[in-house]
């Protein structure tokens, strides 16, 4: 029997099952031993199931055997926990100890002893492996290994309606406590067939703490909120757990003895915290209410607590802000102020200022000031009260009949408040005197009190004389100049009380156009008087236009459209009026196809520019003002024409020809392909490639060097025609092609090839009756080279036999003839070693062949002849070279004086011969390529005899010679 118990010591493992027809509910939990899976056997069972279902005769049976089982377990259990045994719960096998059902009296056999055995399988393999596993033989359900069951992730995120489709489904019913895994299980074979619907209820544990959606929560409470005012706190805490494991209560870490919390639960079971204003209780007094002016906010920590064991907490910062109401009125700081004013005070002089304070905020604290109706109108006309600032100013000149004492009652008005009252007592001190007099006499031009001066007037330019005097001639009068500017007021001697106003430095209209100064005179009693002097400067054309950039660096792409815009010139002139109006002109060095608008300063080019023709332009432009005389300044325009890919690569030659000796080494330098591109930068970068025969030839893009990948053999191909493509790097790229002809020059790399006789072991029967001078046989050879490298000469370099000198060979044709009549002593085998040599340069090449001649009437013993042929002949090699040149003249030159002339003629003839030979080779290679190929083929196939001979020869088989 399998042991049962808790899977973890810290969690109570609760697993229960309930067949649809039974009511008792048992809790069980197991850790099973691993068993081998037989999932691959389920396919036949599944097929039988569908056959069974679709058979109309079995419909009633299948429905009658449908069963529903219900299990429950806690979330978070580890892998391998036994959920339930379908075989036992369906009463297909006897129950384990302690679980024997008293209702089951049918004899049952163990699952392993059934024949055929029971098979349990899920109707579909959907997500079953992620949460539960089903043992195909025992029918035991266990928790799966990949992940622990998380009820919140399973039901809150994937929750929806459950569907019975044979796969694991999730059922999240409206009840927050219901979370089901639904499985369809098939029990086979057919005699035990069951279609079982299994429900696994996932029970919640307290594994999630409450969490507020925001970390800062703000609540605003009016300061006049009454006690027991309830304010809902937005953003309540959320807890994915359900039931008692969800959020149960809220509390504050600090209630400030002013607030408390209450929790309300709605129909859906959601709990919302409410902030309640309680007020602060004082001893022997009533509760203290909220007052924004005393404290404008309270900060505490709100804590949410769930009902788990132990409970889990979540917190956020709660800020309780107190909003202002109009519960304060303005109050003056002083109930009465006393001020004095001199009778000669000027209009606008501040007399006094009153101030009231309102502790409220915003519009609740706005204060306006006004005179009380008790204030006489004469006082209101004399003293002006600013309703916003509370400043009292002298509004009109104080006359002799004005009252000496004024009582000003001032009200401070606030919204919804009784005005606050203060009193200002103003005493006027009467002053009886005649102030000093200032008499100006202007030297500069003065109109309506304004003095006009030209800028750049010289230093010490006089402006005006001032006479300062006391009307009563009782007081000493002094004066000074008040205000800033390049002016000086100095006594003009030797006169008394005469002062001269003059300039102290040059003035610049562009720096400052207007000055306002005052000449102030005061007497010994402290009385003073001012004379305002206004100075207006007149502008002069003293500034030339100034370009913002003395050097304008411009760019434009070539092939531009006509009248293309380049830039807009801008120059400033500090002068005013017409003197500051600037016109623009091109300098004398500007090309004619550039245009400059004199008013707007827009610079254009009227024609299409070509970078390849000219890349850079540099010329001047002028800015001229309208002054008299005009002033001007000069700037330089530096225009760079940017390249466009408008030029294809160009080869220096349309056709390139190279002469290369054959057997040229692989990747050797054949020649340079020169190509240019008039464009610049990437547009002028050229890449070379071989279009055809790229498997043989390659070209170096950087240097343009043409190379052959392999060694070239003239005998295989005497010339090559290539096409090389040059592509630039522009977008889009442009290209061009050139034809390359490579002619291979022959070198002596092939020795003559002897075609006849075919073997050194062949022999020929020569009859003793052969006449002298008759051709006996021939040696025939060919040479794959051309020219002198293919001219062949034949010679006998070794002899062996009774009298081998009886035979000779023609050096040109290779025909072997009998020189002398054959004697009786000449019978036997004659062996001639023939050397076949070409006339190649610098070293001729040669081949050798053995010619065997058997002199006899008949061939009676072939084996004997063959034995003679197999012996190595002892032949002395003759070093004499064959001569095929023209027969030398037999006339001997007697005169010694002709030798230098002959040497000179020989040198000239050799040079001419070399030149003619080279030209002939070139012409032959260019025009007679096909002809040479045909001749070479004929040489390799045909073996013509150089003379008429009726001889027949077979290797190792003699034949009689016919009539000669």
């Amino acid at each position: 029997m399998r042991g049962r118990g808790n899977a973890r010591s810290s969690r109570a493992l609760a697993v229960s099952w309930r067949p649809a027809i039974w009511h008792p509910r048992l809790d069980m939990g197991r850790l099973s031993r691993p068993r081998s899976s037989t999932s691959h056997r389920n396919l036949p069972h599944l097929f039988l199931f569908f056959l069974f279902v679709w058979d109309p005769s079995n419909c009633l049976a299948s429905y009658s055997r449908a069963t529903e089982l219900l299990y429950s377990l806690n979330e978070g259990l580890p892998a391998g926990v036994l959920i339930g045994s379908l075989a036992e719960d369906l009463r297909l096998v006897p129950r384990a100890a302690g679980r024997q059902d008293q209702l089951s009296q049918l004899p049952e056999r163990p699952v392993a002893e059934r024949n055929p055995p029971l098979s349990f399988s899920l109707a579909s393999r959907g997500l079953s492996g992620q949460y539960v596993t089903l043992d195909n033989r025992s029918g035991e359900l266990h928790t799966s290994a990949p992940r622990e069951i998380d009820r919140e992730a399973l039901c809150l995120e994937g929750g929806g309606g459950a569907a019975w489709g044979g796969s694991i489904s999730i059922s999240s019913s409206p009840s927050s406590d219901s979370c089901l895994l639904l499985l369809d299980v098939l029990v086979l074979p057919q005699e035990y067939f069951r279609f079982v619907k299994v429900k696994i209820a996932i029970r919640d544990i307290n594994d999630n703490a409450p969490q507020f959606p925001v970390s800062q929560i703000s609540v605003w409470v009016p300061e006049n909120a009454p006690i027991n005012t309830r304010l809902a706190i937005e953003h309540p805490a959320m807890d994915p757990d359900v039931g008692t494991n969800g959020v149960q209560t809220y509390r504050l870490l600090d209630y400030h003895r002013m607030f408390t919390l209450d929790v309300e639960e709605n129909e859906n079971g959601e709990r919302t915290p409410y902030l309640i204003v309680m007020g602060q209780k004082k001893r022997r007094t009533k509760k203290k209410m909220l007052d924004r002016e005393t404290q404008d906010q309270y900060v505490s920590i709100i804590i949410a607590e769930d009902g788990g064991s132990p409970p889990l907490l979540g917190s956020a910062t709660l800020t309780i802000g107190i909003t202002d109401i109009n519960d304060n009125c303005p109050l003056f700081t002083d109930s009465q102020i006393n001020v004095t004013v001199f009778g000669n005070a000027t209009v606008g002089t501040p007399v006094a200022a009153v101030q009231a304070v309102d502790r409220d905020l915003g519009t609740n604290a706005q204060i306006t000031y006004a005179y009380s109706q008790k204030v006489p109108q004469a006082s209101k006309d004399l003293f002006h009260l600013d309703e916003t600032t509370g400043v009292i100013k002298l509004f009109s000149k104080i006359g002799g009949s004005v009252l000496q004492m004024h009582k000003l009652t001032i009200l401070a008005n606030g919204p919804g408040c009784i005005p606050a009252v203060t009193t200002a007592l103003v005493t006027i001190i009467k002053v009886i005197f005649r102030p000093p007099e200032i008499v100006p006499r202007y030297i500069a031009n003065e109109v309506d009190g304004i003095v006009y001066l030209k800028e750049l007037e010289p230093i010490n330019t006089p402006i005006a004389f001032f006479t300062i005097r006391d009307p009563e001639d009782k007081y000493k009068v002094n004066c000074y100049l008040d205000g800033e500017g390049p002016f000086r007021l100095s006594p003009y001697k030797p006169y008394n009380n005469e002062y001269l106003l003059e300039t102290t430095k040059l003035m610049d209209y562009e720096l400052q156009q207007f000055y306002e100064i005052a000449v102030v005179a005061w007497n010994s009693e402290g009385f003073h008087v001012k004379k305002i002097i206004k100075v207006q400067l007149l502008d002069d054309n003293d500034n030339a236009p100034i370009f913002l950039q003395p050097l304008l660096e411009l760019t434009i792409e070539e092939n531009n459209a006509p009248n293309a815009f380049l830039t807009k010139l801008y120059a400033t002139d500090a002068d005013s009026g017409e003197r500051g109006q600037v016109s623009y002109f091109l300098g004398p060095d500007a090309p004619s196809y550039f245009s400059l608008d004199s008013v707007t300063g827009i610079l254009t080019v009227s024609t299409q520019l070509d970078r390849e023709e000219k890349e850079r332009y540099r010329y001047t432009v002028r800015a001229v003002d309208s002054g008299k005389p005009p002033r001007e300044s000069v700037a330089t325009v530096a225009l760079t024409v940017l390249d466009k890919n408008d030029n294809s690569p160009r080869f220096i030659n349309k056709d390139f020809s190279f002469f290369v000796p054959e057997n040229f080494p692989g990747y050797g330098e054949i020649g340079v392909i020169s190509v240019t591109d008039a464009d610049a930068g990437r547009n002028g970068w050229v890449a070379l490639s071989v279009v055809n025969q790229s498997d043989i030839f390659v070209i170096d893009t950087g240097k343009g060097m043409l190379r052959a990948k392999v060694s070239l053999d003239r005998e295989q191909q005497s010339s090559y025609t290539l096409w090389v493509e040059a592509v630039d790097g522009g977008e889009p790229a442009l290209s061009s092609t050139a034809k390359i002809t490579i002619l291979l020059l022959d070198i002596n790399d092939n020795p003559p090839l002897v075609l006849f006789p075919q073997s050194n072991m062949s022999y020929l029967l020569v009859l003793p009756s052969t006449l002298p001078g008759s051709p006996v046989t021939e040696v025939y050879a060919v040479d794959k080279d051309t020219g002198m490298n293919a001219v062949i000469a034949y010679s006998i370099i070794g002899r062996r036999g009774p009298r081998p000198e009886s035979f000779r060979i023609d050096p040109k044709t290779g025909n072997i003839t009998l020189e002398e009549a054959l004697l009786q002593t000449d019978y036997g085998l004659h062996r001639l070693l023939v050397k076949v040599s070409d006339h190649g340069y610098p070293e001729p090449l040669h081949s050798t062949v053995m010619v065997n001649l058997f002199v006899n009437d008949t061939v009676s013993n072939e084996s004997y002849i063959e034995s003679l042929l197999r012996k190595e002949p002892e032949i002395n090699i003759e070093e004499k070279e064959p001569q095929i040149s023209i027969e030398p003249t037999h006339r001997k030159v007697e005169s010694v004086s002709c030798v230098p002339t002959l040497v000179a003629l020989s040198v000239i003839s050799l040079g001419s011969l070399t030149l003619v030979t080279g030209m002939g080779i070139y012409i032959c290679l260019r025009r007679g390529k096909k002809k040479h190929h045909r001749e070479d083929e004929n040489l390799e196939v045909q073996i013509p005899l150089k003379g008429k001979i009726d001889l027949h020869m077979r290797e190792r088989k003699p034949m009689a010679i016919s009539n000669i």
Side-chain angles (χ1 to χ4, degrees), residues 369-405:
Y369 301 93
Y371 284 128
S372 172
Q373 295 181 356
K374 298 178 181 180
V375 178
Q377 187 63 38
S379 298
K380 294 180 180 179
D381 295 339
L382 185 61
F383 301 101
H384 175 265
L385 173 64
D386 190 301
E387 64 177 6
T388 302
T389 63
V391 175
I392 303 173
K393 294 183 179 180
L394 183 64
F395 188 69
S396 61
K397 191 174 182 181
I398 300 175
S401 60
V402 175
L403 297 174
Q404 303 300 310
M405 178 69 68

Side-chain angles (χ1 to χ4, degrees), residues 51-321:
L51 290 177
F52 186 85
V53 171
W54 284 104
D55 188 355
S57 63
N58 292 331
C59 291
L60 181 61
S62 62
Y63 280 105
S64 64
R65 295 187 179 186
T67 309
E68 181 177 303
L69 297 178
L70 175 62
Y71 299 96
S72 64
L73 75 161
N74 290 344
E75 63 173 326
L77 294 180
V81 175
L82 177 64
I83 300 174
S85 174
L86 272 65
E88 295 180 2
D89 297 337
L90 294 174
R91 297 184 297 171
L92 299 178
V93 297
R95 294 188 180 276
R99 295 189 58 196
Q100 183 66 39
D101 194 337
Q102 299 298 330
L103 300 177
S104 177
Q105 302 297 333
L106 299 176
E108 299 286 350
R109 289 182 296 171
V111 177
E113 297 178 1
R114 294 181 181 270
N115 187 19
L118 289 176
S119 173
F120 299 86
S121 62
L122 294 174
S124 176
R125 290 291 176 181
L127 301 175
S128 60
Q130 296 186 12
Y131 302 105
V132 298
T133 57
L134 174 62
D135 192 295
N136 297 73
R137 292 188 175 182
S138 65
E140 292 183 350
L141 278 173
H142 298 83
T143 55
S144 182
R147 63 170 71 174
E148 293 183 354
I149 297 179
D150 186 357
R151 182 187 180 281
E152 289 73 33
L154 194 64
C155 294
L156 297 184
E157 297 179 5
W164 292 95
S167 63
I168 290 186
S169 304
I170 300 168
S171 173
S172 180
S173 64
S175 175
S176 60
D177 293 336
S178 177
C179 179
L180 300 177
L181 281 178
L182 308 180
L183 298 89
D184 290 345
V185 180
L186 301 178
V187 182
L188 295 175
Q190 187 169 356
E191 54 266 29
Y192 306 108
F193 173 73
R194 295 289 190 277
F195 180 64
V196 185
K197 291 183 175 290
V198 179
K199 295 182 180 180
I200 303 175
I202 310 302
R203 291 197 294 264
D204 183 45
I205 64 172
N206 191 27
D207 57 345
N208 292 281
Q211 185 176 3
F212 286 91
V214 293
S215 61
Q216 300 282 341
I217 303 175
S218 298
V219 178
W220 295 95
V221 182
E223 62 177 327
N224 63 340
I227 295 176
N228 295 328
T229 298
R230 300 171 64 86
L231 299 171
I233 298 178
E234 297 181 358
H235 310 294
M238 307 297 294
D239 193 328
D241 296 326
V242 297
T244 58
N245 293 331
V247 178
Q248 298 297 319
T249 184
Y250 294 85
R251 69 175 185 272
L252 292 180
L253 193 63
D254 184 2
Y255 291 93
H256 296 282
R257 298 195 300 172
M258 187 67 71
F259 306 97
T260 186
L261 279 182
D262 188 17
V263 179
E264 292 185 2
E265 184 175 356
N266 59 14
E267 298 176 355
N268 297 329
E270 297 177 353
R271 288 179 169 83
T272 303
Y274 280 82
L275 181 70
I276 302 176
V277 180
M278 299 300 295
Q280 186 175 355
K281 186 175 181 180
K282 295 289 185 178
R283 294 180 179 178
R284 300 179 183 178
T285 61
K286 64 179 181 179
K287 290 186 177 180
K288 180 182 178 182
M289 301 301 294
L290 297 174
D291 187 4
R292 188 206 62 80
E293 288 74 28
T294 303
Q295 186 170 351
D296 60 354
Q297 75 172 10
Y298 299 85
V299 180
S300 183
I301 301 297
I302 183 171
I303 299 173
E305 182 176 335
D306 62 20
S309 179
L312 301 179
L313 306 177
S315 64
T317 301
L318 178 64
T319 302
I320 306 170

Side-chain angles (χ1 to χ4, degrees), residues 448-721:
D448 295 333
I450 300 176
V451 178
Y452 293 92
L453 293 177
K454 292 183 178 181
E455 67 171 331
L456 303 181
E457 286 282 1
I459 300 175
N460 299 326
T461 298
I463 298 175
F465 276 111
F466 292 92
T467 300
I468 309 299
R469 61 190 178 186
D470 183 13
E472 299 180 359
D473 292 333
K474 297 192 306 181
Y475 305 102
K476 181 181 179 181
V477 180
N478 295 317
C479 71
Y480 65 92
L481 188 64
D482 186 20
E484 296 181 355
F487 306 101
R488 178 176 58 231
L489 182 65
S490 58
Y492 189 74
K493 297 181 179 180
Y495 303 103
N496 294 327
N497 297 332
E498 294 289 341
Y499 294 87
L500 176 63
L501 179 63
E502 58 185 355
T503 61
T504 58
K505 63 179 181 178
L506 295 176
M507 293 180 288
D508 191 352
Y509 175 86
E510 287 70 37
L511 296 179
Q512 188 170 347
Q513 298 87 30
F514 184 79
Y515 297 90
E516 184 173 321
I517 57 178
V519 177
V520 181
W522 81 98
N523 58 18
S524 56
E525 295 297 323
F527 300 108
H528 62 275
V529 66
K530 286 184 179 182
K531 177 62 178 178
I532 304 298
I533 310 297
K534 297 180 180 180
V535 180
Q536 176 67 54
L537 293 185
L538 301 177
D539 188 28
D540 195 4
N541 191 28
D542 58 338
N543 292 280
I546 299 176
F547 281 100
L548 294 181
Q549 294 177 314
L551 175 63
L552 289 87
E553 296 182 345
L554 309 176
T555 59
I556 186 174
E557 283 192 345
E558 62 176 331
N559 304 328
N560 56 282
N563 300 319
F565 173 83
L566 293 178
T567 189
K568 182 176 182 180
L569 304 180
Y570 186 72
T572 59
D573 194 319
D575 295 325
S576 61
E578 294 183 353
R579 292 172 292 274
Q581 294 180 358
V582 180
S583 300
Y584 303 92
F585 303 95
L586 289 172
D589 55 344
S592 60
Y593 38 83
F594 289 95
S595 301
L596 180 60
D597 191 291
S598 61
V599 177
T600 63
I602 294 178
L603 180 63
T604 58
V605 56
S606 60
T607 187
Q608 193 176 71
L609 300 180
D610 187 358
R611 188 203 67 82
E612 289 73 32
E613 180 179 342
K614 188 173 183 180
E615 183 177 7
R616 300 183 186 277
Y617 297 86
R618 192 179 183 91
Y619 53 89
T620 57
V621 291
R622 299 183 301 124
V624 184
D625 63 20
S626 301
K628 296 182 180 179
R631 291 177 176 267
E632 69 176 43
S633 62
V634 178
T636 301
V637 175
L639 175 62
T640 301
V641 181
L642 302 179
D643 183 56
K644 291 182 69 176
N645 193 27
D646 57 345
N647 290 277
S648 301
R650 179 176 297 179
F651 290 93
I652 294 179
N653 299 318
K654 293 183 179 179
D655 295 335
F656 292 85
S657 298
F658 299 101
F659 294 90
V660 180
E662 65 171 330
N663 300 332
F664 197 66
Y667 292 96
E669 297 180 353
I670 295 176
V672 177
I673 309 300
S674 299
V675 62
T676 60
D677 194 316
D679 293 324
R682 187 174 183 83
N683 295 331
W685 180 84
V686 179
L688 296 173
S689 61
V690 178
V691 177
N692 62 323
Q693 300 195 24
S694 58
D695 55 333
I696 301 177
F697 298 95
V698 67
I699 192 166
D700 186 351
T701 298
K703 298 180 180 179
M705 181 63 67
L706 181 64
R707 306 172 188 268
K709 297 181 180 178
V710 296
S711 179
L712 305 178
D713 188 357
R714 189 206 62 80
E715 285 70 36
Q716 294 182 2
Q717 187 171 342
S718 61
S719 65
Y720 295 88
T721 300

